[in-house]
Amino acid sequence: MPETTASVPRRPRARATGRAVAVTALALAVTIPATAATATTATAQTRTTAADPVSVLKFTADERKDALAYWTPARMKAVGKSVDLGPTGPKAKPWRGTALKTVGRLFFVNASGADTWCTATAVKSANRSAVMTAAHCVRRGSSPYNTNFSMVFVPGYSKGKAPHGAFAVRRAATPRTWQVDSVNDMSALTVDAGKDGRKLTDVVGGQPIAFNRPVGGTISSFGYSATRPQLGEELLRCVGTAKKEHGTQVIPCDMSGGSSGGPWLADFDASTGKGVLVSVNSSLDNLTPTKMYGEVLGATAKKVYDRAQQN
């Protein structure tokens, strides 16, 4: 099947540093109802990509080695200090329960050359190496060649510490509709084994995923928001009832940039840190957010996940 590979032209590896860093598209994304025109465009794009609904970005062994070397503990801490998206809102609470080993920060250099991060989650998979996040954490929507690079997943990240190590991203699968038309903002990553040779979920476990699950029920959403005082160094949580809206699902939440890709866990047990992943943080209702939107994981999302869980 056709895939977007590491041979796709990329920007030079000059990275932006300090205050120039931008966090993620989530800080600026505002969800609005689709118009008839955009719906027509999406339908046309779906017809042209029906043969393979999944786009895959690959990273070479040298690129993965470089990514691990680049993301030192000092750099991980520095990127958070360079961004301040305002005070943490009342709906987002620091997580003080059982350590969530499966949830972590996804560090990368974006298509503009800036150090940044999202949130991601280790999930159960056949290859024990799959991670769920948002598509805009991998590539810009409607822009096939503006892809992120030097991607490293750090599960359980907290205040500069990486208790379970860092895992380089080998492949990043997204819906092709995101690549060509900014539709379906979810992604599934495949990561290398850690330095000790152990696969990701052998180290931290994995959250199960539910596809085609009816929208509703209590959701716990997690993310490393770039709001103060946490500035991405601590995991935040929003809790609310999911409802359908604009063809997606929504919960009350005021996390901001950096929380992109964080898990929506249904049936969450705070004592064990386990739940069922039913979506990921995708977009906001406003630049001063009160709602968080997430895709409804359907047939296309299942195909993206299946591609990521292949060896």
Side-chain angles (χ1 to χ4, degrees):
M1 294 183 182
E3 296 181 343
T4 302
T5 70
S7 62
V8 169
R10 292 190 181 144
R11 294 178 181 272
R13 286 183 172 267
R15 279 93 166 193
T17 58
R19 300 276 172 190
V21 174
V23 183
T24 68
L26 181 55
L28 300 176
V30 177
T31 296
I32 57 174
T35 64
T38 58
T40 301
T41 300
T43 301
Q45 294 287 8
T46 300
R47 291 196 194 101
T48 63
T49 60
D52 184 7
V54 182
S55 177
V56 180
L57 179 66
K58 291 183 176 181
F59 299 98
T60 67
D62 285 344
E63 286 175 321
R64 281 141 39 203
K65 181 179 178 180
D66 174 74
L68 288 172
Y70 183 74
W71 284 108
T72 62
R75 188 175 293 277
M76 292 177 188
K77 289 207 73 171
V79 68
K81 292 178 180 179
S82 67
V83 183
D84 184 345
L85 297 182
T88 298
K91 295 182 177 66
K93 307 292 186 182
W95 174 245
R96 298 290 186 244
T98 301
L100 296 186
K101 297 191 293 183
T102 57
V103 182
R105 284 176 86 178
L106 176 68
F107 294 96
F108 56 92
V109 179
N110 69 20
S112 299
D115 290 359
T116 185
W117 79 89
C118 277
T119 304
T121 309
V123 293
K124 291 184 176 180
S125 59
N127 60 9
R128 310 194 305 281
S129 303
V131 175
M132 299 296 290
T133 190
H136 74 259
C137 298
V138 173
R139 65 193 322 145
R140 291 179 184 166
S142 308
S143 183
Y145 299 114
N146 280 305
T147 58
N148 302 330
F149 56 96
S150 295
M151 304 184 76
V152 170
F153 177 55
V154 183
Y157 182 94
S158 179
K159 298 180 180 179
K161 296 181 180 179
H164 312 293
F167 296 79
V169 176
R170 184 167 76 247
R171 297 193 304 267
T174 60
R176 197 169 293 276
T177 51
W178 177 261
Q179 176 183 337
V180 300
D181 206 40
S182 301
V183 174
N184 209 342
D185 187 14
M186 58 77 58
S187 176
L189 316 177
T190 309
V191 298
D192 284 341
K195 288 185 177 180
D196 62 359
R198 298 173 67 197
K199 292 191 174 182
L200 175 64
T201 60
D202 292 337
V203 177
V204 302
Q207 302 285 355
I209 306 179
F211 296 96
N212 299 306
R213 178 177 172 131
V215 174
T218 301
I219 299 296
S220 287
S221 168
F222 292 90
Y224 290 90
S225 182
T227 49
R228 63 177 181 270
Q230 292 80 22
L231 297 178
E233 287 294 298
E234 295 182 69
L235 191 63
L236 300 180
R237 174 182 134 170
C238 289
V239 180
T241 301
K243 297 180 180 179
K244 289 184 179 179
E245 190 172 317
H246 305 330
T248 62
Q249 51 185 327
V250 62
I251 59 172
C253 187
D254 47 18
M255 287 190 289
S256 193
S259 67
S260 297
W264 288 30
L265 298 178
D267 305 325
F268 180 68
D269 186 337
S271 66
T272 63
K274 295 180 180 178
V276 179
L277 190 145
V278 297
S279 190
V280 297
N281 295 328
S282 174
S283 58
L284 308 169
D285 64 325
N286 200 296
L287 296 182
T288 303
T290 62
K291 298 178 182 179
M292 180 77 76
Y293 290 86
E295 302 289 353
V296 178
L297 302 183
T300 298
K302 179 63 164 60
K303 291 176 182 178
V304 171
Y305 163 75
D306 284 342
R307 193 69 63 88
Q309 68 171 338
Q310 295 174 356
N311 287 321

